[in-house]
Amino acid sequence: MATGSNNRNASSVHKTSVQGSSAVSRGAVDAAEERERAASARKGALFLGVVVIIYILYLVFSGQMDDFVDALGGVRTDWVLGAAFCFLMYFFFGVLAYVIAVYIDHDSPVGVRDLISVEASGIFFGNLTPMMMGAVPSQIVRLTRTGLDVGEASATQFTRFIMFQLGVVVFAALMLIAKLSFFFESYGDIVLLNLLVFGAHTLECIMLFVVCLCPNLVMRVGNWLLRLIQKHRWLKDTSKLDQLVNEQVMEFSNAFKSAASDLPSMFATFLVTMAQLFCLYTIPWVLNAFGKSGDFIECLAAGSMVQLVSSSVPLPGGTGGAEGAFVMFYGHMFGPATSAGFLVWRIVTFFAPTILAAPLLGLTTRDRSVSIYERVQRRRNGGYKGHSSGVSINPNKYIKK
């Protein structure tokens, strides 16, 4: 792994020249990508607004509006505030996971305010794009604005993304092991569908690790498929696929290997991710706000299944999957208050965070001359001003020359 300030300073002249020569083109690309994400977010917001209207009309014409209003009228505010606090902790742990990644690099210019903005960017653009596809690109761009180059930003973001996906799969596996009999007794054969969704997420997670750990194998297979596609002319333009196979696969692998060489920090990131998911899956326990009582572990287990289903639906906010999964897994717990319970859950976990994340997108750290690592050391040592060379997340180490 590259080491601290000496390596960073030694390469600063080279990096400055490279960045200077490509600043205009990269800036133009970033601006175009940002406009594209903004347009996608606007479409997503419009789509979700239409969904809300359709949902209200459904309640009216299905005759559920009276039950809906009665259930909302009996909601206990303290439980709803508790659910909101759980999501706040979800956001806190998300930022903390980034802080751990940045702390490893003792000279990283990224500050805590920057990381709050990065996490908010993931929530905002993720919620307003299908299957949260806008989250990762927006977070990488936000990281590059702190002074990181694209490789360093990708190293931080891609490792975080993999740990989150691994956390989702592991948490769901633990819940299935603990409550599999409960699922079959409560939901019957419909659980088989959810097991298929779980299998798909597990396969996705495995493929991410294969890309990271065996990039040469992935590139060989990918190029074979590219040749097959070009031979049969199934696609007119294969340039994007060629770039994905021959450039981005290796970049992803380099980024992961660079960050993963510090195993304790990777394990800490995984634990923080599990705590983050715990907070998210606890929120449906807000059913107590409607005068109901549910088993806490069963609520957690159902929450993990709802997450798997809703994240598989290719619409902004998992629309359709979120509603169906909530009714499927929480309907017997909420009873007549299911519609109201879904609304409260959706407001706390989706609509309110999306709106509140918007003002945080422009949050920046004022002083980037002192890294997070140095700030922590100064507080520990009562005014420590030394500069320790530490790990630098530099994926270029693994590029064969």
Side-chain angles (χ1 to χ4, degrees):
M1 201 132 203
T3 56
S5 58
N6 293 333
N7 287 347
R8 188 180 294 269
N9 292 334
S11 62
S12 61
V13 175
H14 172 71
K15 287 175 67 176
T16 300
S17 63
V18 173
Q19 290 172 352
S21 63
S22 62
V24 175
S25 59
R26 189 174 64 190
V29 172
D30 287 348
E33 290 179 349
E34 189 168 355
R35 286 194 298 270
E36 185 178 347
R37 285 194 302 274
S40 179
R42 286 193 295 270
K43 293 178 182 178
L46 179 62
F47 173 79
L48 293 174
V50 173
V51 169
V52 171
I53 294 174
I54 293 175
Y55 185 65
I56 293 173
L57 292 176
Y58 168 75
L59 290 176
V60 172
F61 289 106
S62 65
Q64 298 182 49
M65 182 57 74
D66 290 340
D67 291 335
F68 176 79
V69 173
D70 290 340
L72 281 182
V75 172
R76 288 175 51 186
T77 306
D78 55 342
W79 279 98
V80 177
L81 291 176
F85 176 76
C86 286
F87 192 88
L88 181 63
M89 292 304 298
Y90 169 85
F91 184 83
F92 168 77
F93 283 120
V95 175
L96 181 59
Y98 279 111
V99 169
I100 294 173
V102 171
Y103 180 85
I104 298 172
D105 186 348
H106 295 182
D107 303 291
S108 174
V110 185
V112 174
R113 290 188 179 185
D114 293 321
L115 296 176
I116 292 174
S117 177
V118 169
E119 182 69 10
S121 178
I123 290 175
F124 183 80
F125 288 101
N127 285 352
L128 297 179
T129 52
M131 298 180 73
M132 300 191 74
M133 290 187 297
V136 172
S138 68
Q139 290 173 317
I140 291 177
V141 170
R142 181 64 187 83
L143 285 168
T144 60
R145 291 177 179 174
T146 67
L148 297 179
D149 60 35
V150 176
E152 291 171 326
S154 298
T156 301
Q157 174 58 37
F158 191 63
T159 302
R160 169 74 181 113
F161 173 74
I162 290 179
M163 287 296 100
F164 188 85
Q165 295 301 315
L166 178 63
V168 169
V169 170
V170 171
F171 205 111
L174 293 175
M175 292 298 100
L176 283 172
I177 293 172
K179 290 292 181 178
L180 187 60
S181 59
F182 157 75
F183 281 126
F184 277 107
E185 290 172 2
S186 301
Y187 311 115
D189 292 340
I190 197 67
V191 177
L192 296 176
L193 176 61
N194 226 67
L195 289 175
L196 289 176
V197 175
F198 170 75
H201 278 268
T202 303
L203 182 61
E204 177 188 0
C205 193
I206 292 173
M207 289 302 299
L208 286 173
F209 277 98
V210 170
V211 169
C212 292
L213 301 178
C214 308
N216 293 325
L217 172 63
V218 173
M219 290 171 67
R220 285 197 297 270
V221 174
N223 280 307
W224 177 79
L225 290 174
L226 268 177
R227 289 192 297 270
L228 187 64
I229 291 172
Q230 292 168 349
K231 179 181 178 180
H232 294 280
R233 297 181 181 180
W234 291 333
L235 290 176
K236 293 182 179 179
D237 184 9
T238 59
S239 59
K240 291 185 178 180
L241 287 177
D242 182 76
Q243 182 183 22
L244 173 64
V245 172
N246 294 298
E247 295 181 24
Q248 294 183 13
V249 166
M250 188 58 71
E251 289 176 0
F252 292 156
S253 177
N254 294 335
F256 180 80
K257 289 178 180 178
S258 179
S261 60
D262 190 325
L263 290 179
S265 296
M266 286 286 287
F267 184 66
T269 302
F270 175 73
L271 291 180
V272 169
T273 300
M274 294 294 282
Q276 184 183 19
L277 292 171
F278 175 84
C279 292
L280 180 65
Y281 299 157
T282 298
I283 294 174
W285 203 44
V286 72
L287 62 88
N288 288 274
F290 298 91
K292 308 294 181 180
S293 60
D295 181 81
F296 180 68
I297 302 300
E298 291 178 1
C299 287
L300 278 181
S304 67
M305 296 300 105
V306 171
Q307 171 71 16
L308 290 178
V309 174
S310 60
S311 61
S312 301
V313 177
L315 290 174
T319 301
E323 291 85 349
F326 190 90
V327 172
M328 181 189 306
F329 289 100
Y330 287 105
H332 71 285
M333 300 181 189
F334 280 76
T338 299
S339 298
F342 170 78
L343 178 63
V344 173
W345 173 71
R346 200 66 162 153
I347 289 174
V348 170
T349 62
F350 184 78
F351 290 109
T354 304
I355 294 171
L356 295 176
L360 300 177
L361 298 181
L363 195 63
T364 58
T365 298
R366 295 178 182 177
D367 182 13
R368 294 199 179 101
S369 62
V370 183
S371 67
I372 290 178
Y373 173 83
E374 290 176 339
R375 294 179 190 276
V376 172
Q377 294 304 315
R378 288 181 181 184
R379 292 186 179 183
R380 281 182 177 179
N381 302 328
Y384 165 80
K385 296 183 180 180
H387 190 84
S388 173
S389 63
V391 174
S392 175
I393 300 179
N394 181 12
N396 294 325
K397 172 196 172 184
Y398 294 91
I399 297 178
K400 296 182 179 179
K401 297 182 180 181

